[in-house]
Amino acid sequence: MDVTLAAPRATVDAAAERLRTAARDRIPCPPLRDLIDPDDVTTAYAVQERLGELRLATGAKVVGRKIGLTSPAVQAQLGVDQPDFGVLFDDMAFTAGAELPTEQLLQPRAEAEIAFVLGADLAEGPLDLAQIRASVSYAVAALEIVDSRIAGWDITFADTVADNASSGLYVLGSQRRTLVEVEPVEVEMRMLVDGEVVSTGNGAACLGDPLEALAWLARTAREFGDPLRSGQVVLSGALGPMHPVHPGARVTAEISGLGSVTTTFSAQEE
């Protein structure tokens, strides 16, 4: 990403190292407010980029993006008022039914989302809804396991952006649907943890329409010099409130028109 820094490179490196150490040692760290102004989005994205470089250096591969903070309910939960985005790496992806490694997570929370798989680049053109719709190869139900390296989820907008949009892991459902078969804005969602409904919502809760969220991301990614590409996965953002999860939890997202996706968490932390 082509980012013009609003803070010294040393500040970016220090913030990235704090987050990297928290993830490595599995000990949440203090917020970044002593390093980055809560409203300094440019520097926050530079920290995110630096963390991405470190992950790529260890062999991880970029497979897509996640849109965060699209639901008013989630924005209210975290005290923010605008969307953000993060990067999806191949080691974050799990298939439906897989057991997720609780030991890799610090403070996990689950969100039910739509995942779009792109069949065309979104690097040129108007990036309007018609182009966005035509670019989607198919959609599936998804669970995103968000996580924060910041202790107690005590985050500002800059904190979550720097922390790769508070990303953790994600799980994709197996029922692929084209946008001829399902209209994202019309879906209804409910999420269950251990059989109990803990979150409900719908497509309209995601920036008014999940395709609008995808359009926002496409334009923003292009502005950052790293446009969305064919084959990438894009998580739409939450369709309703996120909910904490615990070791041994079984989580299911049910999304009308897209079926369901279920995952479990390993029973004990190592």
Side-chain angles (χ1 to χ4, degrees):
M1 298 177 188
D2 182 14
V3 178
T4 301
L5 287 182
R9 173 57 65 178
T11 299
V12 172
D13 291 343
E17 182 60 23
R18 181 181 296 181
L19 293 168
R20 188 187 71 84
T21 300
R24 181 195 65 204
D25 296 344
R26 297 193 61 253
I27 300 174
C29 64
L32 304 177
R33 293 190 279 278
D34 59 320
L35 296 173
I36 304 174
D37 185 276
D39 297 320
D40 187 353
V41 177
T42 300
T43 299
Y45 275 114
V47 175
Q48 181 187 123
E49 180 184 17
R50 178 59 184 148
L51 284 169
E53 292 170 350
L54 293 170
R55 293 193 71 169
L56 292 172
T58 65
K61 297 180 180 179
V62 175
V63 295
R65 305 285 178 82
K66 60 156 288 183
I67 312 169
L69 305 175
T70 55
S71 163
V74 173
Q75 290 181 358
Q77 283 180 301
L78 298 179
V80 300
D81 61 359
Q82 58 184 306
D84 67 351
F85 71 87
V87 178
L88 299 179
F89 295 93
D90 57 345
D91 58 0
M92 296 165 61
F94 286 79
T95 57
E99 183 177 87
L100 302 188
T102 303
E103 65 274 8
Q104 290 185 16
L105 302 164
L106 281 73
Q107 306 170 98
R109 299 177 178 183
E111 295 180 342
E113 310 191 6
I114 297 173
F116 298 110
V117 177
L118 301 180
D121 291 351
L122 288 171
E124 307 292 340
L127 301 183
D128 56 12
L129 275 182
Q131 182 181 358
I132 296 300
R133 182 180 290 274
S135 76
V136 174
S137 179
Y138 60 88
V140 297
L143 283 166
E144 183 184 4
I145 311 306
V146 294
D147 200 9
S148 181
R149 272 50 65 175
I150 305 295
W153 280 87
D154 180 18
I155 60 174
T156 65
F157 188 70
D159 287 311
T160 187
V161 167
D163 193 20
N164 197 25
S166 301
S167 62
L169 308 172
Y170 69 94
V171 185
L172 300 184
S174 59
Q175 299 183 44
R176 300 180 178 185
R177 297 289 184 267
T178 69
L179 297 189
V180 173
E181 298 173 297
V182 64
E183 185 59 54
V185 73
E186 296 176 357
V187 303
E188 297 290 332
M189 176 278 293
R190 68 175 196 160
M191 185 172 69
L192 301 88
V193 175
D194 297 332
E196 178 186 355
V197 176
V198 297
S199 178
T200 60
N202 53 50
C206 181
L207 285 187
D209 183 340
L211 292 177
E212 290 282 6
L214 179 55
W216 172 85
L217 175 63
R219 292 189 292 267
T220 303
R222 185 168 68 179
E223 290 171 4
F224 272 75
D226 190 9
L228 301 178
R229 298 296 183 184
S230 178
Q232 290 187 331
V233 177
V234 176
L235 298 181
S236 67
L239 304 181
M242 60 186 178
H243 193 274
V245 290
H246 55 270
R250 178 181 176 87
V251 184
T252 297
E254 300 174 346
I255 302 178
S256 62
L258 293 172
S260 65
V261 55
T262 296
T263 193
T264 57
F265 289 77
S266 57
Q268 294 183 343
E269 298 187 32
E270 297 179 357

